[in-house]
Amino acid sequence: MRILFVALTALLSSCVLTVQPLPPAEPVAPSTPALVNSRLGLPAYPGSRILKREEKGDGSSEVQFETSADLDRVYAHFHDYLSKAGWSRWTLERKGAATKLEARYQRNNTSFKLELDQEGRSGRYKLGIDF
Protein backbone atom coordinates (compact mmCIF):
# COMPACT_ATOMS: atom_id res chain seq x y z
CA MET A 1 0.00 0.00 0.00
CA ARG A 2 2.86 2.29 0.87
CA ILE A 3 4.52 1.57 -2.46
CA LEU A 4 1.28 2.44 -4.26
CA PHE A 5 1.08 5.74 -2.37
CA VAL A 6 4.71 6.63 -3.23
CA ALA A 7 4.17 5.67 -6.88
CA LEU A 8 0.98 7.74 -7.05
CA THR A 9 2.70 10.72 -5.43
CA ALA A 10 5.61 10.47 -7.90
CA LEU A 11 3.20 10.20 -10.80
CA LEU A 12 1.18 13.23 -9.71
CA SER A 13 4.29 15.32 -9.06
CA SER A 14 5.54 14.61 -12.58
CA CYS A 15 2.36 16.02 -14.07
CA VAL A 16 2.96 19.66 -14.73
CA LEU A 17 -0.03 21.82 -15.38
CA THR A 18 0.82 24.82 -17.52
CA VAL A 19 -1.55 27.75 -17.33
CA GLN A 20 -1.29 30.37 -20.02
CA PRO A 21 -2.49 33.86 -19.09
CA LEU A 22 -5.31 35.20 -21.23
CA PRO A 23 -4.46 38.07 -23.57
CA PRO A 24 -5.76 41.46 -22.46
CA ALA A 25 -9.36 42.10 -23.42
CA GLU A 26 -9.96 44.20 -26.50
CA PRO A 27 -11.51 47.54 -25.66
CA VAL A 28 -15.20 47.51 -26.43
CA ALA A 29 -16.24 50.33 -28.72
CA PRO A 30 -19.37 52.16 -27.64
CA SER A 31 -22.34 50.89 -29.56
CA THR A 32 -23.29 52.97 -32.54
CA PRO A 33 -26.73 54.45 -32.16
CA ALA A 34 -29.37 53.35 -34.64
CA LEU A 35 -30.09 55.85 -37.39
CA VAL A 36 -33.60 57.10 -38.09
CA ASN A 37 -32.44 58.58 -41.41
CA SER A 38 -29.33 57.38 -43.24
CA ARG A 39 -29.07 60.31 -45.66
CA LEU A 40 -28.86 62.77 -42.76
CA GLY A 41 -26.99 60.39 -40.43
CA LEU A 42 -29.73 61.28 -37.92
CA PRO A 43 -29.40 59.13 -34.77
CA ALA A 44 -32.40 57.78 -32.89
CA TYR A 45 -33.45 59.42 -29.65
CA PRO A 46 -31.20 57.97 -26.90
CA GLY A 47 -32.80 55.02 -25.15
CA SER A 48 -35.68 54.79 -27.60
CA ARG A 49 -36.84 51.52 -29.13
CA ILE A 50 -37.36 51.50 -32.90
CA LEU A 51 -40.52 49.62 -33.85
CA LYS A 52 -40.50 50.11 -37.62
CA ARG A 53 -38.17 51.84 -40.09
CA GLU A 54 -38.55 52.45 -43.81
CA GLU A 55 -36.24 54.39 -46.13
CA LYS A 56 -36.99 55.48 -49.68
CA GLY A 57 -34.58 55.85 -52.58
CA ASP A 58 -34.49 59.66 -52.35
CA GLY A 59 -33.35 59.58 -48.71
CA SER A 60 -36.81 60.13 -47.22
CA SER A 61 -37.75 57.91 -44.29
CA GLU A 62 -40.48 57.00 -41.84
CA VAL A 63 -39.72 55.59 -38.41
CA GLN A 64 -41.95 54.51 -35.55
CA PHE A 65 -40.35 54.35 -32.11
CA GLU A 66 -41.09 54.37 -28.38
CA THR A 67 -39.60 56.47 -25.59
CA SER A 68 -40.77 57.87 -22.28
CA ALA A 69 -39.51 61.35 -23.23
CA ASP A 70 -41.97 64.12 -24.09
CA LEU A 71 -42.44 65.58 -27.57
CA ASP A 72 -40.33 68.68 -26.93
CA ARG A 73 -37.33 66.70 -25.70
CA VAL A 74 -37.49 64.31 -28.64
CA TYR A 75 -37.72 67.16 -31.12
CA ALA A 76 -34.88 69.06 -29.37
CA HIS A 77 -32.63 66.00 -29.86
CA PHE A 78 -33.26 65.96 -33.61
CA HIS A 79 -33.05 69.75 -33.96
CA ASP A 80 -29.74 69.94 -32.06
CA TYR A 81 -28.20 67.26 -34.26
CA LEU A 82 -29.40 68.91 -37.46
CA SER A 83 -28.21 72.36 -36.35
CA LYS A 84 -24.74 71.02 -35.55
CA ALA A 85 -24.68 69.35 -38.98
CA GLY A 86 -25.25 72.73 -40.65
CA TRP A 87 -29.00 72.55 -41.32
CA SER A 88 -31.04 75.74 -40.78
CA ARG A 89 -34.63 75.52 -39.62
CA TRP A 90 -36.92 77.67 -41.78
CA THR A 91 -40.27 76.89 -40.17
CA LEU A 92 -41.62 75.20 -37.07
CA GLU A 93 -45.32 74.58 -36.60
CA ARG A 94 -47.25 72.75 -33.88
CA LYS A 95 -50.31 70.82 -34.96
CA GLY A 96 -52.89 68.45 -33.56
CA ALA A 97 -53.31 69.60 -29.94
CA ALA A 98 -49.53 69.89 -29.49
CA THR A 99 -48.84 66.24 -30.31
CA LYS A 100 -47.39 66.96 -33.74
CA LEU A 101 -44.55 69.17 -34.96
CA GLU A 102 -43.61 70.05 -38.52
CA ALA A 103 -40.35 71.76 -39.36
CA ARG A 104 -38.57 72.60 -42.60
CA TYR A 105 -34.78 72.57 -42.82
CA GLN A 106 -32.39 73.75 -45.51
CA ARG A 107 -28.66 73.51 -46.19
CA ASN A 108 -27.17 74.83 -49.42
CA ASN A 109 -29.67 73.89 -52.15
CA THR A 110 -31.23 70.95 -50.31
CA SER A 111 -34.30 71.06 -48.10
CA PHE A 112 -36.53 68.58 -46.32
CA LYS A 113 -39.58 68.45 -44.08
CA LEU A 114 -39.44 66.79 -40.65
CA GLU A 115 -42.73 65.63 -39.12
CA LEU A 116 -42.75 64.32 -35.56
CA ASP A 117 -46.08 62.92 -34.38
CA GLN A 118 -46.75 61.57 -30.90
CA GLU A 119 -49.64 59.12 -30.78
CA GLY A 120 -51.87 60.91 -28.27
CA ARG A 121 -50.02 61.18 -24.98
CA SER A 122 -48.42 57.76 -25.35
CA GLY A 123 -44.71 57.10 -25.68
CA ARG A 124 -45.11 56.09 -29.33
CA TYR A 125 -43.88 58.43 -32.04
CA LYS A 126 -43.75 58.57 -35.81
CA LEU A 127 -40.94 60.53 -37.46
CA GLY A 128 -41.16 61.38 -41.15
CA ILE A 129 -38.34 62.93 -43.18
CA ASP A 130 -39.36 64.01 -46.69
CA PHE A 131 -36.86 65.37 -49.22
Side-chain angles (χ1 to χ4, degrees), residues 13-130:
S13 64
S14 67
C15 294
V16 176
L17 186 60
T18 306
V19 178
Q20 296 287 335
L22 293 174
E26 298 269 330
V28 176
S31 62
T32 305
L35 297 179
V36 293
N37 184 279
S38 296
R39 182 173 175 181
L40 297 171
L42 187 61
Y45 185 81
S48 65
R49 185 169 70 99
I50 294 178
L51 305 172
K52 183 179 177 184
R53 181 177 178 265
E54 293 179 33
E55 291 220 21
K56 300 174 187 155
D58 66 351
S60 298
S61 63
E62 188 172 292
V63 180
Q64 294 176 353
F65 62 95
E66 286 182 322
T67 180
S68 60
D70 65 32
L71 180 71
D72 291 323
R73 279 186 194 252
V74 174
Y75 174 70
H77 163 75
F78 295 131
H79 175 71
D80 289 347
Y81 176 86
L82 293 167
S83 295
K84 289 176 184 172
W87 292 92
S88 298
R89 181 176 62 202
W90 285 77
T91 63
L92 175 61
E93 186 177 346
R94 289 186 177 270
K95 296 184 171 193
T99 62
K100 184 174 183 177
L101 293 170
E102 283 186 16
R104 292 194 179 274
Y105 288 85
Q106 185 168 353
R107 183 174 72 183
N108 301 326
N109 294 328
T110 306
S111 64
F112 68 90
K113 179 173 71 171
L114 180 150
E115 293 180 297
L116 181 61
D117 189 6
Q118 184 178 14
E119 295 178 10
R121 294 289 176 190
S122 73
R124 288 182 176 242
Y125 290 85
K126 183 174 12 174
L127 173 70
I129 304 283
D130 291 309

